[in-house]
Amino acid sequence: MAARDSTLSLVVGGQRFGGWLDVRVSRGIERACGDFDISCTQRWPGQDERFEIPEGSPFELYIGDDKILTGYVDAIGTDRDAAAATCKITGRSKTADLVDCSPNDKDLELAGLTLQAIAEKIAAPFGISVVATSTGTAKPLPVAAKHHGETCWKTIERIARQQKLLVMDDEQGRLVLAHLASTRADDALVYPSDGLLKLSTKRDSAQRFSEYNVKAQAGARWLGDIGTSDGSNPAIPSTLAHVEGVFYDRGVTRYRPKTIQSEGAAKKEGALARAEWECRRAIGKALRIGATKVKWRQSTGALWRPNLLVHVVAPHANVDQDLAIAEVHYKKSDSEGEICELELAPPDAFTPE
């Protein structure tokens, strides 16, 4: 069936190239852009002429009929000796331009815009579309600004983080603003089982803290809410111009406080929500699980993809729970054949409960 085909092909200028010797394609929900590096012979079966792919060329990358990346070729390298001629090609998603480049400083007033409007304004000069799958992008932000020296990606990601949203690319090379998806994988990951070569776990509490204290400035709009019963608005002491929220991780028994300066203005409840989010993310990131499958596709024929929930059972590691797929690495080599490496973590690592 075509849907189950795992042949990887690179399409450049309408021409499809295959026959890869080594393959690595990576995508993730916290990656600025997906990327690939592939090696091949410089002569294809049935072709006598050497092919040419200029660096900077637009590309589309497919596994069977499933598109997995859209972007630009970064580099071409060749290696030739008396016995063989090979070529290595690397490329990244279209969103790589947001990672590498700075925003246009002209007409970059961001205050009062929604997160989606901010992302669209920054991405538009690069020809990159923005897709918002969460209603959290529709609220105007009273305070939002570009920081000097920031790249486009950093500005968008920083503001999105204030809204507790993920920023990633998709198969079309678009920028996606989203919460962690609730879509489940078709298969579970049970170790030991057929098709699961390896499962590794790592528990690391180095970045967990006993308390999280988020400090923020109260916006002028909110300071104006403070007044007297007669409607007057007296001078407000400077101590009232700051709010803070504290959240505790009872699983950390040592005294390990962490203070976080909020990137924007906030109310008291906003600072507390940010403190809780920081705590939950740290707890979630403390557990990482790596799973190596023998195939890029699930039993239904669907590809393993980032931003899916999957049930993981690993009795030896005391794991029996739903985890989020943070990253997917499609790999292929002569020595190992086709394998799919998944990086998983608890959902709280990417979104608050």
Side-chain angles (χ1 to χ4, degrees):
M1 296 175 58
R4 295 180 182 272
D5 182 13
S6 292
T7 301
L8 188 133
S9 56
L10 179 69
V11 178
V12 179
Q15 188 172 358
R16 186 177 293 263
F17 300 97
W20 311 108
L21 302 175
D22 290 283
V23 169
R24 183 206 49 83
V25 184
S26 299
R27 295 192 58 226
I29 60 177
E30 291 188 306
R31 277 178 168 260
C33 55
D35 61 12
F36 75 87
D37 59 71
I38 48 182
S39 298
C40 59
T41 61
Q42 286 199 274
R43 292 181 184 274
W44 313 110
Q47 291 183 334
D48 295 327
E49 295 183 1
R50 183 167 58 92
F51 76 97
E52 296 282 354
I53 299 179
E55 62 272 18
S57 299
F59 76 82
E60 294 177 325
L61 198 65
Y62 290 84
I63 294 179
D65 289 335
D66 293 306
K67 183 186 290 187
I68 54 171
L69 276 181
T70 303
Y72 303 101
V73 174
D74 279 332
I76 305 286
T78 59
D79 189 6
R80 181 182 294 270
D81 59 26
T86 60
C87 178
K88 182 176 181 179
I89 304 173
T90 64
R92 292 177 294 167
S93 171
K94 292 175 65 176
T95 52
D97 285 344
L98 300 179
V99 176
D100 300 338
C101 303
S102 302
N104 185 349
D105 287 332
K106 298 179 181 178
D107 188 30
L108 200 61
E109 176 59 45
L110 306 180
L113 299 178
T114 66
L115 173 59
Q116 182 173 357
I118 290 172
E120 289 173 343
K121 193 170 189 178
I122 293 175
F126 302 93
I128 297 173
S129 301
V130 177
V131 179
T133 62
S134 169
T135 57
T137 63
K139 181 180 178 182
L141 306 177
V143 179
K146 171 188 172 293
H147 290 180
H148 181 70
E150 278 188 332
T151 63
C152 300
W153 175 268
K154 184 61 179 177
T155 299
I156 296 171
E157 191 277 334
R158 172 175 53 80
I159 298 173
R161 188 168 64 246
Q162 298 174 40
Q163 307 303 306
K164 308 179 191 68
L165 291 171
L166 298 170
V167 187
M168 65 193 84
D169 67 336
D170 68 3
E171 296 85 353
Q172 306 295 330
R174 300 176 299 186
L175 187 72
V176 179
L177 310 171
H179 285 298
L180 186 71
S182 58
T183 306
R184 303 190 64 85
D186 298 324
D187 295 346
L189 296 175
V190 181
Y191 186 84
S193 72
D194 293 338
L196 190 57
L197 295 178
K198 181 173 66 175
L199 191 142
S200 59
T201 61
K202 180 181 181 181
R203 299 180 184 272
D204 184 350
S205 62
Q207 296 304 311
R208 287 179 64 178
F209 298 89
S210 59
E211 64 182 67
Y212 298 79
N213 189 341
V214 173
K215 297 180 181 293
Q217 289 186 340
R221 172 166 68 95
W222 297 321
L223 285 176
D225 294 341
I226 304 174
T228 60
S229 58
D230 61 5
S232 63
N233 192 12
I236 300 170
S238 60
T239 54
L240 292 181
H242 295 81
V243 297
E244 62 180 87
V246 181
F247 199 82
Y248 299 92
D249 184 349
R250 302 301 183 186
V252 178
T253 56
R254 307 197 308 275
Y255 178 63
R256 285 175 51 79
K258 182 175 183 178
T259 299
I260 300 155
Q261 184 65 47
S262 177
E263 294 88 348
K267 291 184 178 181
K268 174 74 174 180
E269 56 267 31
L272 179 60
R274 172 68 185 277
E276 179 180 359
W277 183 60
E278 293 284 352
C279 178
R280 290 187 179 278
R281 277 176 62 89
I283 294 172
K285 286 180 176 293
L287 171 63
R288 285 282 172 158
I289 292 182
T292 303
K293 296 282 294 181
V294 295
K295 294 295 181 182
W296 293 345
R297 296 186 180 276
Q298 303 176 60
S299 61
T300 58
L303 288 169
W304 289 102
R305 294 183 183 270
N307 208 16
L308 290 175
L309 294 179
V310 58
H311 194 76
V312 180
V313 179
H316 70 282
N318 196 30
V319 174
D320 187 351
Q321 65 189 90
D322 287 342
L323 297 176
I325 300 179
E327 293 199 11
V328 177
H329 307 277
Y330 308 104
K331 295 183 176 182
K332 186 177 181 180
S333 66
D334 288 339
S335 59
E336 295 183 304
E338 178 185 313
I339 62 172
C340 182
E341 294 181 352
L342 305 174
E343 296 183 23
L344 309 109
D348 271 354
F350 312 105
T351 185
E353 208 168 80

